[in-house]
């Protein structure tokens, strides 16, 4: 199991210069990938293009970009632009988005999310490969192609997938799945077997499974878990995460976050490896000192 490092706002408010420094640290420490997410701050794809251009010796990825706001013709053009900028090191993580944000902020429909993602990926894959599409589905219409010069290869595509039907779509139409706030039980008993089966049935290679969680190396675990419970309280309430937390038997994010001493964190990470996770995306949590201590341990484990 490889270990990647989350950079940017998921670790706390960050300037663009701070994000670049985090990517440089990740590359220098030997982490597999620097991951950024799309929230309410920096644009994930633009940020990772800037960072990946400045730091050449680490893979970069989005985990994830919500797709309802970006037509596949638009996202394909953005992704291929980033892929060219970072010399083929991009993993494009995409997701259906959180219902409350997609509908509440953008006024976009959120019904039938699995069908919407299936239709979206049906179009996105060919566009990333440089093919023309003429698609008229139930939720999506797309006609045209994205033409970029220089033979830019299609990036690997991951889908934010935790529920059974979305996991099946990820296995059939993408290169794997990315999860957030999902523990080893839900991954090992539900997500990994299901996506492997779906990929095999579709004749696709063994999928990637990238699991993301807050990580904090600390001697005051109870205090840190209380802070995580407060900061990530939304994840315990929205249906997208609540169902996965229930499968884990967790009351909230504080119960699935990896928190403890160096020995305890290292032992916890082995559970994800044993569950079939191919890459762990660690989001260092806490104060600057806590994050530094966490990155030091993770870098040692990554080596």
């Amino acid at each position: 199991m490889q270990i990647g490092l989350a950079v940017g706002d998921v670790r706390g408010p960050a300037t663009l210069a701070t994000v670049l420094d985090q990517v440089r640290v990740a590359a220098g420490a030997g982490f597999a990938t620097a991951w950024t997410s799309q929230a309410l701050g920096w644009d994930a794809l633009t940020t990772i293009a800037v960072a990946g251009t400045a730091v050449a010796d680490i893979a970069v990825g989005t985990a994830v970009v919500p797709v309802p706001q970006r037509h596949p013709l638009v996202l394909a053009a953005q992704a291929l632009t980033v892929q060219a900028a970072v010399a083929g090191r991009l993993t494009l993580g995409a997701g259906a988005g959180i219902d409350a944000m997609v509908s509440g902020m953008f006024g976009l429909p959120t019904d039938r999310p699995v069908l919407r993602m299936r239709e979206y990926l049906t179009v996105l894959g060919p566009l990333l490969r440089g093919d023309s599409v003429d698609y008229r589905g139930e939720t999506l219409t797309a006609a045209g192609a994205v033409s970029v010069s220089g033979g830019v290869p299609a990036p690997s595509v991951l889908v934010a997938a935790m529920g059974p039907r979305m996991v099946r779509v990820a296995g059939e139409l993408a290169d794997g799945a990315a999860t957030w706030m999902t523990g080893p039980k839900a991954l090992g008993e539900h997500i990994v077997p299901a996506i492997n089966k779906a990929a095999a049935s579709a004749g696709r290679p063994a999928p990637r499974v990238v699991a993301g969680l807050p990580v904090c190396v600390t001697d005051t675990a109870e205090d840190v878990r209380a802070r995580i419970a407060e900061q990530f309280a939304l994840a315990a309430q929205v249906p997208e995460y609540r169902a996965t937390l229930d499968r884990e038997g967790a009351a909230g994010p504080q119960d699935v976050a990896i928190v403890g001493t160096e020995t305890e964190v290292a032992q916890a990470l082995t559970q994800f490896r044993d569950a079939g996770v191919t890459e762990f995306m660690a989001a260092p949590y806490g104060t600057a000192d806590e994050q530094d201590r966490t990155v030091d341990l993770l870098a040692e484990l990554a080596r």
Side-chain angles (χ1 to χ4, degrees):
M1 182 181 74
Q2 295 182 321
I3 299 178
L5 206 64
V7 300
D9 290 340
V10 71
R11 293 169 58 174
T15 65
L16 185 57
T18 299
V19 177
L20 291 176
D21 285 342
Q22 291 173 348
V23 175
R24 290 189 183 99
V25 168
F31 288 98
T33 307
W35 297 96
T36 186
S37 58
Q38 183 71 47
L40 302 178
W42 301 109
D43 178 74
L45 279 164
T46 306
T47 300
I48 215 66
V50 172
T53 303
V55 184
D57 49 355
I58 188 170
V60 294
T62 60
V64 295
V65 173
V67 300
Q69 306 94 294
R70 308 188 195 210
H71 189 277
L73 280 161
V74 174
L75 183 57
Q78 290 178 310
L80 289 172
T81 301
V82 177
Q83 179 74 318
V86 302
R89 291 176 286 128
L90 173 68
T91 291
L92 175 62
I98 296 175
D99 189 318
M101 294 179 68
V102 173
S103 61
M105 295 180 65
F106 294 95
L108 296 171
T110 56
D111 62 309
R112 300 182 292 175
V114 176
L115 174 62
R116 291 181 185 278
M117 183 59 72
R118 179 176 290 279
E119 294 196 340
Y120 196 101
L121 293 172
T122 298
V123 172
L124 181 65
L127 290 173
L128 290 173
R129 296 190 292 270
D131 297 334
S132 179
V133 299
D134 186 1
Y135 185 87
R136 288 165 175 79
E138 294 183 50
T139 69
L140 177 67
T141 295
V146 176
S147 178
V148 294
S149 301
V152 181
S156 177
V157 176
L158 304 179
V159 175
M162 295 176 287
R165 293 187 299 153
M166 194 68 81
V167 169
R168 190 178 309 119
V169 169
E172 293 174 357
L173 295 174
D175 299 304
T179 69
W180 176 244
M181 293 297 183
T182 304
K185 179 180 178 181
L187 281 156
E189 295 181 4
H190 300 282
I191 294 171
V192 172
I195 195 170
N196 285 339
K197 180 180 178 181
S201 297
R204 296 183 63 90
R208 297 170 63 184
V209 179
V210 179
L213 279 171
V215 182
C216 184
V217 178
T218 178
D219 296 316
T220 57
E222 186 175 342
D223 170 66
V224 171
R225 290 192 187 278
R227 281 185 273 151
I228 289 173
E230 181 178 0
Q231 182 172 338
F232 295 101
L234 180 64
Q237 302 169 16
V238 298
E240 291 87 350
Y241 293 115
R242 184 65 263 169
T244 301
L245 290 169
D246 288 343
R247 290 189 189 97
E248 196 72 27
Q254 69 277 10
D255 295 328
V256 292
I258 298 181
V259 179
T261 64
E262 282 82 356
T263 298
E264 291 168 337
V265 167
Q267 290 174 342
L269 285 175
T270 64
Q271 297 179 6
F272 290 86
R273 180 200 63 199
D274 294 345
V277 170
T278 62
E279 182 173 347
F280 187 84
M281 180 184 74
Y285 178 83
T287 65
D289 287 343
E290 288 170 332
Q291 291 197 30
D292 287 345
R293 182 177 173 185
T294 300
V295 170
D296 285 345
L297 172 67
L298 292 169
E300 181 181 338
L301 296 175
R303 289 191 291 268

